[in-house]
Amino acid sequence: MPSRPSPRRPAPPSPATAPGTSAALTELPVVACKLYRADGRQRTVSRSDADLDAALETARADGGFVWIGLRGTSARDLERLAVTFRLPALAVEDAINAHQRPKFEQYPDLTFAVLKPVRYVDHDEVVDVSEVAVFVGAHFVITVRHGESSVVADVRAELDAPELDPADLAGLGLDDTDVDLDVPLPPGPHAPSPASVLYRLLDHVVDGYGAVVEDIAVDVEDIEEQVFSGGEDEHAERIYKLKREVLEFRRAVVPLVNPLQRLVDGGPTGPSATAVAEEKRPYYRDVLDHLLRAADAIDGYDRLLTDVLQAHLTQVSVRQNRASARQNEDMRKISAWAAIALVPTAIAGIYGMNFEHMPELSTRYGYFVVLAVIVSACVSLYVVFRAKKWL
């Protein structure tokens, strides 16, 4: 199993986190911080000339949002952000400590989500599960990543480099090198917004589930073929390992179904602006459909692996029974031949004793009589054992 981030308890607040104190970007483990404006313009927030308060005020004034990406965040780091962005204490604790269940939680001013990106390490047949905690407010997005995952970077790349038709760029007097300039760009169906960031993250995570399902399917089919190929190799350890990884995969996928279903059916409402608009529901329903298919596939592979393991154990038991039956048959044959050999051995042993008065010693045909008795007894025993199928 791959190493998972160990849970850490929040550290006591430091003096720097007192109310009204702003956290400078240079003091935080920020992977990226960027300002996205409502008109489509975007700008990287400089760590040297801006703090979080200034970035947030700019976003509010322009009707846009700030996206701050964090990795390896400590309790003290996130508490600094909690002061500036008024993050709920319980959500902050969940974001700091890994091993949370996938979920969506609605607070008065924001939405908190925990997503579980996964990837399949094929050569080790291991499902590597990471974790992304997402705070979505009206004018900000904060992502806290635990483990190795490219989901956040991929979504950020999509927003930073929107796919625009060259003709549209030419009509604006731009080329494909100008997308990061402080100029307005035509809004698309998924214009940057806190809600769209959450949707894109969710979409990428669920697409990753589909890729992992396909990779697991290959290994499950391979082990199934090996078990029923008639060979006598041991497969129980590999099957059990695959079942354990499927269970780990299930823990990342299945708990997300109900929260996403509620999001599609009703959707959260409030200042966090993460409610699912009616025109956006088909997109979320598509994500939900992919998620349900992944969950169904996981259940199917889990049952299939259970059946394959049972079949393999049955085959092992049958082989053991066959070996035991062969051993019993060999023992019967050995016992039968030993019983036949016992007759001449016993008679020869008796006549080998040095006594003067022995039966038939003075008889002319005594030797032949004894041989006839030995042969008759051995033939009789052979016939009896043959009838009983011991020979």
Side-chain angles (χ1 to χ4, degrees):
M1 292 288 292
S3 60
R4 305 296 203 278
S6 58
R8 295 172 291 180
R9 294 185 176 276
S14 66
T17 63
T21 302
S22 173
L25 294 178
T26 54
E27 300 174 357
L28 299 173
V30 176
V31 177
C33 181
K34 200 160 190 177
L35 173 63
Y36 298 88
R37 299 183 179 181
D39 58 4
R41 292 182 293 181
Q42 51 188 251
R43 179 172 61 85
T44 301
V45 178
S46 173
R47 300 189 184 189
S48 61
D49 60 5
D51 59 16
L52 296 181
D53 282 337
L56 184 58
E57 288 302 324
T58 302
R60 289 171 178 168
D62 293 341
F65 68 98
V66 175
W67 184 357
I68 302 174
L70 304 174
R71 180 186 179 188
T73 307
S74 68
R76 180 172 298 179
D77 294 332
L78 202 54
E79 284 174 354
R80 292 174 178 173
L81 291 178
V83 173
T84 302
F85 294 94
R86 299 180 181 178
L87 306 180
L90 293 179
V92 169
E93 183 177 355
D94 288 344
I96 294 171
N97 300 324
H99 308 289
Q100 303 296 323
R101 286 171 58 89
K103 58 185 176 181
F104 287 90
E105 293 180 350
Q106 182 67 24
Y107 292 90
D109 298 326
L110 59 86
T111 295
F112 175 68
V114 174
L115 305 177
K116 292 275 193 177
V118 299
R119 64 186 183 96
Y120 193 64
V121 184
D122 188 59
H123 60 278
D124 292 330
E125 294 184 349
V126 170
V127 176
D128 184 19
V129 182
S130 53
E131 184 172 319
V132 178
V134 187
F135 297 89
V136 181
H139 298 285
F140 67 86
V141 175
I142 299 174
T143 54
V144 181
R145 177 163 60 95
H146 299 275
E148 297 296 329
S149 174
S150 63
V151 168
V152 177
D154 292 341
V155 173
R156 190 185 297 277
E158 289 182 0
L159 296 184
D160 291 350
E163 296 181 359
L164 298 176
D165 188 89
D168 294 335
L169 288 175
L172 294 171
L174 305 174
D175 57 30
D176 57 2
T177 63
D178 296 323
V179 294
D180 194 41
L181 296 179
D182 192 15
V183 294
L185 297 176
H190 298 291
S193 68
S196 70
V197 171
L198 179 59
Y199 163 75
R200 290 169 185 260
L201 288 171
L202 183 62
D203 186 44
H204 277 260
V205 169
V206 174
D207 285 346
Y209 293 163
V212 173
V213 165
E214 294 177 359
D215 292 337
I216 291 179
V218 174
D219 288 332
V220 171
E221 292 174 1
D222 179 59
I223 193 64
E224 184 181 16
E225 181 179 353
Q226 291 181 15
V227 167
F228 293 102
S229 63
E232 297 187 358
D233 296 334
E234 289 294 328
H235 304 291
E237 182 178 356
R238 184 186 177 192
I239 296 174
Y240 177 77
K241 181 180 178 181
L242 281 174
K243 280 184 63 66
R244 183 181 61 185
E245 296 306 317
V246 168
L247 176 60
E248 190 72 24
F249 190 21
R250 179 202 294 272
R251 291 172 180 168
V253 174
V254 174
L256 189 59
V257 173
N258 288 336
L260 184 55
Q261 183 69 63
R262 290 194 300 268
L263 191 68
V264 170
D265 292 341
T269 58
S272 59
T274 55
V276 180
E278 189 62 33
E279 64 272 12
K280 301 294 185 181
R281 291 188 189 279
Y283 298 101
Y284 281 90
R285 289 196 188 99
D286 182 65
V287 174
L288 178 61
D289 179 65
H290 292 174
L291 182 65
L292 290 175
R293 279 190 287 177
D296 291 341
I298 292 172
D299 290 338
Y301 291 141
D302 184 61
R303 290 193 298 268
L304 180 59
L305 286 172
T306 299
D307 295 339
V308 171
L309 179 61
Q310 186 63 39
H312 175 64
L313 295 178
T314 301
Q315 290 178 349
V316 172
S317 178
V318 169
R319 288 197 294 267
Q320 292 176 345
N321 291 336
R322 288 175 180 173
S324 179
R326 287 195 297 268
Q327 291 176 354
N328 292 336
E329 183 178 354
D330 293 341
M331 287 300 298
R332 287 198 301 267
K333 291 181 179 180
I334 293 172
S335 299
W337 287 113
I340 294 173
L342 181 63
V343 174
T345 301
I347 295 176
I350 291 174
Y351 278 90
M353 293 185 291
N354 296 321
F355 290 102
E356 182 178 354
H357 303 286
M358 293 287 290
E360 308 296 338
L361 287 181
S362 58
T363 303
R364 181 177 181 179
Y365 299 103
Y367 177 74
F368 299 101
V369 171
V370 172
L371 288 180
V373 171
I374 292 175
V375 171
S376 299
C378 290
V379 171
S380 300
L381 289 174
Y382 179 82
V383 172
V384 172
F385 290 138
R386 187 74 175 180
K388 292 181 176 294
K389 297 182 179 181
W390 280 36
L391 293 175

